[in-house]
Amino acid sequence: MAINNEKDAEAGAFHRFRERVRRNTILNTAWRVGVFTVGATVLVGGLVMMVTPGPGIVAIVLGLAILATEFAWAQRALGRAKAAAERAKEKALDPRKKRRNTILAVVTGLLAGAAVIAYLVIYGFNLPWNVEDPTFWN
């Protein structure tokens, strides 16, 4: 019970602080600009991570969640993102599709392995330190 009261007290303190900021137009604008800057930065970082290594989807959802604390359009986008994630989860857990994806992955792996073996049989397997003609490296 004490933990719940502590959480309520923290939430109440934040809400009181936020209401005080909302009453002052300049502070409210500065707060919203700060939230927008942080949220947009995380969101853009997530978009970049979609094409580079990193947890892109997590960062996108986190950026939308930050923006959703102040902007209604971000709340709607976050709701759509959550719904799309739920649909993707259900689709991924569908037994028929899971079995199909497993079969496709195994067949693709076997074909890739066969291609590598065929390449090595055709062109030979020479490690760089066993090269016959070292002038190539000069």
Side-chain angles (χ1 to χ4, degrees):
M1 193 71 164
I3 293 174
N4 197 15
N5 290 338
E6 289 174 14
K7 287 181 181 179
D8 290 342
E10 289 175 11
F14 177 74
H15 287 296
R16 285 192 305 272
F17 166 76
R18 192 61 192 106
E19 284 304 318
R20 195 170 29 193
V21 169
R22 279 194 181 106
R23 281 187 241 123
N24 186 331
T25 308
I26 294 172
L27 283 178
N28 190 41
T29 302
W31 179 269
R32 288 175 64 97
V33 166
V35 168
F36 180 79
T37 303
V38 171
T41 302
V42 173
L43 184 64
V44 168
L47 291 173
V48 168
M49 284 189 270
M50 292 299 287
V51 294
T52 61
I57 293 187
V58 172
I60 289 171
V61 171
L62 183 61
L64 284 174
I66 292 169
L67 290 168
T69 63
E70 290 297 319
F71 302 103
W73 60 267
Q75 287 177 344
R76 289 188 301 271
L78 183 61
R80 286 193 299 268
K82 285 180 179 179
E86 187 64 32
R87 285 192 307 271
K89 181 183 90 171
E90 292 300 321
K91 194 174 183 181
L93 295 177
D94 181 18
R96 290 174 292 163
K97 297 203 179 185
K98 192 174 182 181
R99 185 173 36 253
R100 182 202 64 196
N101 290 343
T102 302
I103 291 169
L104 286 174
V106 168
V107 169
T108 302
L110 289 173
L111 289 175
V116 168
I117 290 171
Y119 176 84
L120 293 175
V121 166
I122 293 170
Y123 294 106
F125 182 73
N126 288 327
L127 296 173
W129 50 86
N130 292 335
V131 174
E132 306 267 332
D133 184 17
T135 58
F136 174 77
W137 300 104
N138 291 331

